Amino acid sequence: QVKNAKLYVTFGNNPAVTRASGGGQSWEFFSAARRNGTRMVFIDPIYSDTMAGRNAEWIPIRPSTDAALCEAIAYVLITENLVDKAFIDRYTIGYDEDSLPASAKPGSSYRSHILGLGPDKTPKTPERAAGITNVPAERIVRLARDMAAAKPCFISQGWAPQRRMNGETQSTAIAMMALLTGQVGLPGTNSGAREGDSYGIDTGLPTGKNPIGKSFPIFLWPRAVKDAKGMTALNAGVRGCDRLEHNIKFIWNTQGNTLVNQHGGVNQIREILEDEKLVETIVVVDNQMTPSARFADYVLPDTMNQEIDDMQGDAYAVGDYNYIVACPKAADILWEQKPNYWIMTEMAKRFGLEEKFTEGRTQKEWIRWGYEQTLAKAAKQPDPIKLPGFDEFWAKGFVKYHMGRDSGIVLKAFREDPEKHPLKTPSGRIEIYSERLAKIAETWELPKTKGQEIHPIPRFIATAEMLGQGDPLEQKYPLEVYGYHGAGRTHSTYHNVPWLRALHPDELMINPIDAEPRGIKTGDKVRVFNDRGSLIIPAFVTARVIPHLVAMPQGAWYRPDEKGVDQGACFNVLTTLEATPLAKGNPSHTNLVQVEKI
């Protein structure tokens, strides 16, 4: 739908790297933008590869301040009568006092908050936002007017803005831009979320049902190792019970480097994993000796993808088409490694569950089963999809198909008839004011750290470790840092491939304004550090990153020396174990640091 938009505005989004492809989502995106000359505006602390060489405008912004910018845009839209009130009245609740739920306090609507009629009595003017975001007030006003005038306007965001300590409300604040302008459910528009994928119909292995029924947010697993009984529904988002009962004593980690490398607070996690009074047994199944595998008591060597028959159902980040790819083995297994399916079958056998696990099928038979299940789904589509039989597919190597009735228009049916096609919210409408969030805000027990707040409406929240917001820590650590997705790997996968490292070296982007007084030039090795850890990395001096922010690719493998200084440039030695307020997620972009030349 980008091809139908006159204006494309996106926040913290770099699809040229995060959705890179020769014929998938990023290729389609750029083709669509060129089709009718869609004007593009990117709001980002970094001049990214997506902008480079294209007809795109860059609005540099301080990290974590997107919500403040959105509040100021909303102020302009409201005070200049540019809000699509007809859309707001029909499809949303909580925008103004007239549409607030009965349980809401007077003055708690979104409009009241923006105009300074709410509890904080502070109008969210462009001048106020300019001091927070570093985006000039006149530029904010012009952007607001442009967004209101462009019909259609496609508004989106990447996943960077939510990976902050105030990430949940940053994400919803951006989505408000689409709502206020009524640019939802029409050709050339979006919902304010990330651009979607044409998710396909491929069928994976059945997963069974966990009889326990108790769960907690995965980012909090280190806490569940040390103090599970202290984790409750109100302080840790526990579900299925009021509180947990037992500390984690056993960890099984299959095919992933998330145990260490991709989690916050690597140095703090290291202490937890090394203490055998805490986690007594760690099993890692992998085909690389990753940083996570180095902490294992048992390493079960998995096969490489090329050594077994497999199949890929690819409907994520590939654009408008979906693919099923046959992966017949290209080499025999040479040593003692075994396929993960064999490992899990042997485990199931020892628990007396082999038949339940395998259902009598080999891995190759499960591949055929999955494809034939997909064939059955394809035939039942409103516009039936024609796919070849399994044997023809396996011989050809891949099939490509299109979800026929997927127009790409987000919330199209809801826009056409909200009564017939209500949303899955309690009211059936878009909830600008959420009664559920209001209740959570009243009942949940949150840490006392600055920014640990939950509100029923989208709004800017200043947090700890955020420049310009009064954190005394910035006197010691005057730079912000975040870890972006680099082009040389997927998270931490392929970090250990030497020629990819040569093409895409790990470097710290630093602005000349910050590099010069530190005597730093491109290629110099620098130490990046805060109270949580330190790492060594070469510098790349560039004006593509804003002043007082440094940035580096995330996913480098953790490699501490004897003093605990990471020589592998693993970004997460700098990040925290404290979770975000609502989702209890990873606030990986909220960090203050200092940088010094070695």
Side-chain angles (χ1 to χ4, degrees), residues 376-394:
K377 285 184 185 178
K380 294 177 181 178
Q381 294 301 305
D383 295 326
I385 299 169
K386 294 181 180 180
L387 298 176
F390 177 79
D391 292 332
E392 182 182 345
F393 152 71
W394 195 255

Side-chain angles (χ1 to χ4, degrees), residues 469-547:
Q469 298 302 315
D471 189 336
L473 195 63
E474 72 176 81
Q475 303 303 317
K476 184 178 180 182
Y477 300 120
L479 302 171
E480 291 184 89
V481 64
Y482 73 75
Y484 61 87
H485 287 284
R489 55 180 171 266
T490 302
H491 297 291
S492 71
T493 303
Y494 312 122
H495 169 81
N496 59 329
V497 179
W499 66 269
L500 279 174
R501 294 285 301 281
L503 282 169
H504 300 285
D506 291 323
E507 297 174 319
L508 182 79
M509 297 176 71
I510 182 169
N511 190 279
I513 289 173
D514 301 308
E516 187 175 343
R518 291 171 172 81
I520 295 170
K521 294 181 172 59
T522 293
D524 288 345
K525 281 195 172 183
V526 298
R527 186 169 77 100
V528 188
F529 61 98
N530 59 20
D531 290 342
R532 292 182 287 268
S534 62
L535 59 85
I536 306 300
I537 188 171
F540 172 44
V541 181
T542 174
R544 287 179 64 173
V545 63
I546 65 170

Side-chain angles (χ1 to χ4, degrees), residues 71-397:
E71 287 182 337
I73 293 171
Y75 183 90
V76 176
L77 296 175
I78 292 170
T79 56
E80 296 190 4
N81 199 29
L82 298 174
V83 173
D84 188 338
K85 192 65 164 54
F87 174 87
I88 291 290
D89 289 344
R90 184 174 187 196
Y91 298 99
T92 76
I93 63 170
Y95 165 72
D96 54 23
E97 300 299 304
D98 294 337
S99 63
L100 275 176
S103 63
K105 298 176 182 177
S108 59
S109 70
Y110 180 80
R111 184 177 185 276
S112 293
H113 170 70
I114 296 299
L115 296 180
L117 305 175
D120 68 0
K121 304 299 180 186
T122 303
K124 309 308 180 294
T125 64
E127 290 73 21
R128 170 184 176 271
I132 299 171
T133 64
N134 272 6
V135 180
E138 58 272 19
R139 185 66 196 90
I140 297 173
V141 172
R142 181 155 53 91
L143 177 61
R145 291 171 180 168
D146 287 349
M147 291 168 70
K151 309 288 185 187
C153 181
F154 191 106
I155 300 167
S156 72
Q157 59 184 294
W159 288 341
Q162 67 170 309
R163 289 169 176 160
R164 307 283 312 193
M165 190 56 80
N166 60 359
E168 297 94 344
T169 192
Q170 280 232 124
S171 191
T172 53
I174 294 169
M176 280 303 304
M177 302 298 94
L179 303 182
L180 293 173
T181 55
Q183 296 296 284
V184 175
L186 301 173
T189 70
N190 188 32
S191 65
R194 175 151 214 163
E195 297 88 355
D197 290 292
S198 181
Y199 287 108
I201 53 173
D202 48 273
T203 302
L205 291 172
T207 57
K209 186 177 181 180
N210 188 337
I212 300 302
K214 301 173 184 178
S215 64
F216 64 91
I218 188 60
F219 186 69
L220 299 183
W221 73 258
R223 183 174 167 189
V225 168
K226 301 182 76 171
D227 182 30
K229 291 184 178 181
M231 296 173 63
T232 70
L234 297 182
N235 69 24
V238 171
R239 294 180 180 178
C241 59
D242 290 332
R243 68 173 63 243
L244 299 182
E245 298 174 3
H246 305 286
N247 289 351
I248 292 173
K249 292 292 185 182
F250 185 103
I251 292 177
W252 184 293
N253 182 55
T254 298
Q255 299 166 329
N257 198 11
T258 56
L259 193 63
V260 174
N261 213 88
Q262 297 299 117
H263 202 286
V266 165
N267 287 331
Q268 291 72 46
I269 282 187
R270 176 181 176 174
E271 294 176 5
I272 293 170
L273 295 178
E274 287 181 337
D275 188 344
E276 294 190 354
K277 296 186 185 71
L278 298 175
V279 183
E280 295 173 4
T281 308
I282 299 170
V283 180
V284 169
V285 183
D286 213 319
N287 53 33
Q288 310 285 322
M289 185 56 74
T290 65
S292 294
R294 289 180 178 275
F295 286 87
D297 297 292
Y298 299 96
V299 176
L300 306 185
D302 198 356
T303 54
M304 298 293 288
N305 301 54
Q306 298 87 345
E307 295 173 322
I308 56 170
D309 289 323
D310 208 339
M311 177 174 69
Q312 302 287 345
D314 202 349
Y316 172 68
V318 295
D320 202 29
Y321 280 85
N322 303 278
Y323 304 83
I324 305 175
V325 184
C327 303
K329 71 174 189 176
D332 291 328
I333 299 172
L334 294 179
W335 313 109
E336 295 180 59
Q337 66 268 32
K338 297 290 186 180
N340 188 51
Y341 185 73
W342 181 91
I343 293 171
M344 300 316 298
T345 299
E346 291 297 310
M347 287 294 296
K349 182 189 298 184
R350 283 153 178 77
F351 284 99
L353 297 169
E354 181 181 6
E355 181 59 32
K356 278 191 174 184
F357 176 71
T358 67
E359 298 185 31
R361 295 186 179 96
T362 64
Q363 177 154 335
K364 184 67 176 287
E365 288 169 338
W366 273 116
I367 294 169
R368 180 182 287 271
W369 176 89
Y371 186 83
E372 290 175 349
Q373 292 290 312
T374 304
L375 279 181
K377 285 184 185 178
K380 294 177 181 178
Q381 294 301 305
D383 295 326
I385 299 169
K386 294 181 180 180
L387 298 176
F390 177 79
D391 292 332
E392 182 182 345
F393 152 71
W394 195 255
K396 182 181 179 182

Side-chain angles (χ1 to χ4, degrees), residues 36-89:
N36 297 313
T38 302
R39 182 179 156 222
M40 297 190 289
V41 176
F42 289 81
I43 300 162
D44 201 303
I46 291 177
Y47 186 82
S48 69
D49 288 2
T50 302
M51 294 177 244
R54 295 185 170 89
N55 181 24
E57 181 179 357
W58 179 31
I59 298 182
I61 187 172
R62 275 182 174 170
S64 198
T65 65
D66 305 71
L69 173 65
C70 291
E71 287 182 337
I73 293 171
Y75 183 90
V76 176
L77 296 175
I78 292 170
T79 56
E80 296 190 4
N81 199 29
L82 298 174
V83 173
D84 188 338
K85 192 65 164 54
F87 174 87
I88 291 290
D89 289 344

Side-chain angles (χ1 to χ4, degrees), residues 91-92 179 184 410-415 417-431:
Y91 298 99
T92 76
L179 303 182
V184 175
V410 182
L411 297 178
K412 181 175 184 288
F414 172 71
R415 177 79 187 237
D417 192 336
E419 283 72 37
K420 187 177 178 181
H421 301 285
L423 303 181
K424 294 180 181 179
T425 59
S427 65
R429 293 199 278 175
I430 298 169
E431 299 194 352

Side-chain angles (χ1 to χ4, degrees), residues 541-571:
V541 181
T542 174
R544 287 179 64 173
V545 63
I546 65 170
H548 314 316
L549 169 71
V550 292
M552 57 189 292
Q554 61 89 32
W557 286 16
Y558 179 54
R559 189 163 51 88
D561 63 17
E562 65 279 0
K563 295 180 180 178
V565 177
D566 181 48
Q567 303 293 322
C570 176
F571 167 70

